[in-house]
């Protein structure tokens, strides 16, 4: 008695029927064009098989052999084109769906699958075409292997770059728009990935310089993908306080711990460490390490700035000061006496002596 549900299901039935017809029409278009060419070639070959031996002095067996080879190759080419069209349409549809969902990683992966599928179809079609011509695949590969060895010795790096480009497109350790960092041959390279190709990868540095990196480099180096940090950024700093304020360090540490504990931007699931790390003649080091939640590097730098200023306020609020670097110059006594004897540091009585003495005393006071 539910007429509304009945009409809804009837509408679903019509919509499904229309979708099936539409898909069938698309498939027919994808298949029809190659088959149309295949039928045309078959007709021409049939006419040639019937009339060529009569028009020119050619044995019929030879014409028949050539016609069969052409028909076989045409069938292989037509089937390869059909599979290629279906593959391209499916991969592009999936990549478009991932783009609508905002999943750039999956989109790039489907684009890589499209390229790999194209390479596989070409390779299989070439092997089938060789068999259709009546040639031995092993013999052709052996002959090609000799040339391939010569080419491989000359272009080993090219092949290595192409294979690594294929791996980069399938595994996707990084993608366009992500920040990466690595050290090829000891040189630091960091920046934003601009393009990932079959042979090379383009990376734009923060100085707006463009790096062209062969893909073989990534198989020999460890690459740090900064973008995939999952919003977890580490705050790792040492705060240096004057050594004469060592008795105030405990209160400073307690205040810093209170800030770290109450700040909502600091992650609680990871370690939060604030300790005195060491004492030297110049300063007392306070070790501070924890993790912040930030969407990118700019957001993290803003959080880090706020926290550093808050920690400096903690130090000053407890009556302490940050340590400053000092330079100490020591003069041994055995070097002063020869200078006095030589008149470089005369006694303070004369005009020249007063100026020289001032200079000497100033030098000693700096030390």
């Amino acid at each position: 008695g539910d007429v509304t549900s009945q009409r809804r299901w009837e509408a679903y039935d019509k919509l499904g029927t229309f979708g099936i017809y539409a898909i069938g029409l698309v498939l027919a278009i994808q298949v029809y064009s190659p088959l149309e060419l295949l039928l045309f070639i078959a007709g021409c070959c049939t006419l040639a098989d019937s009339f060529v031996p009569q028009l020119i002095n050619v044995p019929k067996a030879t014409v028949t052999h050539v016609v069969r080879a052409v028909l076989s190759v045409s069938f292989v080419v037509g089937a390869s084109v059909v599979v290629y069209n279906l593959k391209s349409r499916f991969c592009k549809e999936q990549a478009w769906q991932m783009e609508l969902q905002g999943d750039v990683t999956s989109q790039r992966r489907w684009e890589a699958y499209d390229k790999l599928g194209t390479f596989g179809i070409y390779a299989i079609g070439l092997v089938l075409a060789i068999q259709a011509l009546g040639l031995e695949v092993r013999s052709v590969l052996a002959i090609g292997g000799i040339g391939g060895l010569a080419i491989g010795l000359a272009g080993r790096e090219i092949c290595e770059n192409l294979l690594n480009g294929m791996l980069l497109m399938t595994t996707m350790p990084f993608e366009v728009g992500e920040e990466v960092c690595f050290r090829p041959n000891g040189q630091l390279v960091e920046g934003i990935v601009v393009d990932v190709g079959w042979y090379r990868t383009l990376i734009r540095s923060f100085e707006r310089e463009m790096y062209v990196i062969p893909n073989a480099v990534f198989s020999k180096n460890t690459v740090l993908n900064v973008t995939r940090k999952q919003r977890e950024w580490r705050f790792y700093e040492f705060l240096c306080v004057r050594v004469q304020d060592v008795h105030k360090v405990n209160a400073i540490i307690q205040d810093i711990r209170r800030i770290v504990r109450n700040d909502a931007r600091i992650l609680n699931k990871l370690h939060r460490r604030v300790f005195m790390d060491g004492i030297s003649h110049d300063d007392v080091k306070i070790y501070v390490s924890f993790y912040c939640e930030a969407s990118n590097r700019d957001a993290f730098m803003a959080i880090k700035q706020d926290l550093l200023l808050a920690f400096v306020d903690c130090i000053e609020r407890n009556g302490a000061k940050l340590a400053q670097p000092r330079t100490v110059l020591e003069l041994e006594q055995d070097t002063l006496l020869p200078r006095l004897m030589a008149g470089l540091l005369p006694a303070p009585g004369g005009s020249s002596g007063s100026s020289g003495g001032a200079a000497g005393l100033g030098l000693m006071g700096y030390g």
Side-chain angles (χ1 to χ4, degrees):
D2 193 352
V3 181
T4 304
S5 300
Q6 177 183 358
R7 294 188 179 280
R8 184 181 296 113
W9 281 107
E10 291 176 354
Y12 290 158
D13 184 20
K14 295 179 181 179
L15 184 61
T17 303
F18 175 76
I20 293 174
Y21 286 161
I23 294 174
L25 179 61
V26 171
L27 294 178
I29 293 174
Q30 299 290 335
V31 175
Y32 176 73
S33 298
L35 291 182
E36 185 181 18
L37 179 61
L38 181 61
L39 292 175
F40 176 76
I41 295 176
C44 293
C45 290
T46 303
L47 293 175
D49 190 19
S50 301
F51 295 102
V52 168
Q54 299 176 4
L55 296 177
I56 58 178
N57 189 15
V58 178
K60 185 173 179 59
T62 303
V63 176
T64 303
H65 178 73
V66 173
V67 167
R68 289 180 178 177
V70 172
L71 287 175
S72 300
V73 173
S74 301
F75 177 78
V76 171
V77 173
S80 300
V81 172
V82 171
V83 176
Y84 174 81
N85 291 337
L86 296 177
K87 180 270 307 176
S88 299
R89 185 171 186 82
F90 177 76
C91 292
K92 291 179 180 179
E93 180 70 22
Q94 294 298 324
W96 181 65
Q97 292 293 337
M98 295 300 104
E99 183 180 3
L100 292 179
Q101 297 176 8
D103 191 350
V104 183
T105 302
S106 298
Q107 176 190 356
R108 295 287 182 179
R109 185 175 291 115
W110 277 107
E111 292 175 355
Y113 291 159
D114 187 14
K115 296 179 180 179
L116 290 178
T118 301
F119 177 77
I121 291 172
Y122 285 161
I124 296 174
L126 179 61
V127 173
L128 295 178
I130 292 174
Q131 292 181 346
L133 291 174
L135 302 176
E136 289 290 337
V137 179
R138 295 181 180 178
S139 301
V140 176
L141 292 179
I143 297 174
I146 299 174
L149 179 60
I151 296 174
L153 294 176
R156 181 179 61 86
E157 294 184 357
I158 296 177
C159 297
E160 187 178 359
N161 288 325
L162 293 176
L163 291 176
N164 282 280
M166 185 183 303
L167 291 176
L168 289 177
M169 291 182 181
T170 53
T171 58
M172 299 298 293
F174 50 81
E175 62 183 27
V176 176
E178 292 185 340
E179 179 183 349
V180 296
C181 175
F182 59 101
R183 290 181 176 272
N185 299 325
Q187 179 186 1
L188 177 62
V189 176
E190 59 179 346
I192 307 300
V193 179
V194 177
D195 181 58
V196 180
W198 286 96
Y199 181 79
R200 87 292 176 267
T201 298
L202 301 180
I203 298 177
R204 185 178 295 278
S205 67
F206 297 115
E207 287 75 22
R208 309 306 296 168
E209 299 173 344
M210 184 67 72
Y211 289 103
V212 181
I213 310 295
N215 290 331
V217 174
F218 298 105
S219 65
K220 304 174 184 177
N221 294 274
T222 302
V223 181
L224 173 63
N225 193 324
V226 182
T227 305
R228 300 181 185 179
K229 292 173 64 68
Q230 298 181 354
R231 302 174 63 90
E232 297 174 355
W233 297 76
R234 187 184 182 188
F235 183 101
Y236 176 74
E237 294 292 338
F238 285 95
L239 302 177
C240 298
V241 182
R242 295 184 308 175
V243 68
Q244 53 265 38
D245 297 328
V246 63
H247 300 292
K248 305 174 183 178
V249 170
N250 187 35
I252 296 172
I253 291 176
Q254 296 302 324
D255 286 349
I256 294 177
R257 287 177 178 175
R258 190 177 302 108
I259 294 175
V260 172
R261 187 168 49 250
N262 297 329
D263 198 317
R265 298 170 296 182
I266 299 176
L267 298 175
N268 298 327
K269 62 180 181 179
L270 300 174
H271 76 255
R272 295 173 294 173
R273 297 168 182 165
V274 183
F275 295 99
M276 185 173 67
D277 186 67
I279 302 177
S280 65
H281 294 289
D282 298 326
D283 55 24
V284 179
K285 291 184 179 180
I286 301 176
Y287 168 74
V288 182
S289 176
F290 50 83
Y291 290 85
C292 303
E293 183 178 4
S295 58
N296 51 43
R297 184 183 294 273
D298 294 338
F300 169 70
M301 295 301 294
I303 297 174
K304 184 177 181 179
Q305 174 181 310
D306 296 341
L307 293 175
L308 284 175
L309 293 176
F311 296 160
V312 172
D313 290 340
C314 290
I315 295 174
E316 295 178 351
R317 188 166 55 248
N318 286 276
K321 292 184 179 180
L322 293 174
Q324 297 180 355
R326 296 188 302 170
T327 301
V328 179
L329 180 62
E330 296 182 358
L331 296 177
E332 297 180 359
Q333 294 295 331
D334 55 355
T335 62
L336 294 177
L337 183 59
R339 289 186 179 184
L340 290 173
M341 297 295 295
L344 296 178
L345 294 175
S351 59
S352 61
S354 61
S355 60
L361 293 176
L363 182 65
M364 295 174 63
Y366 179 76

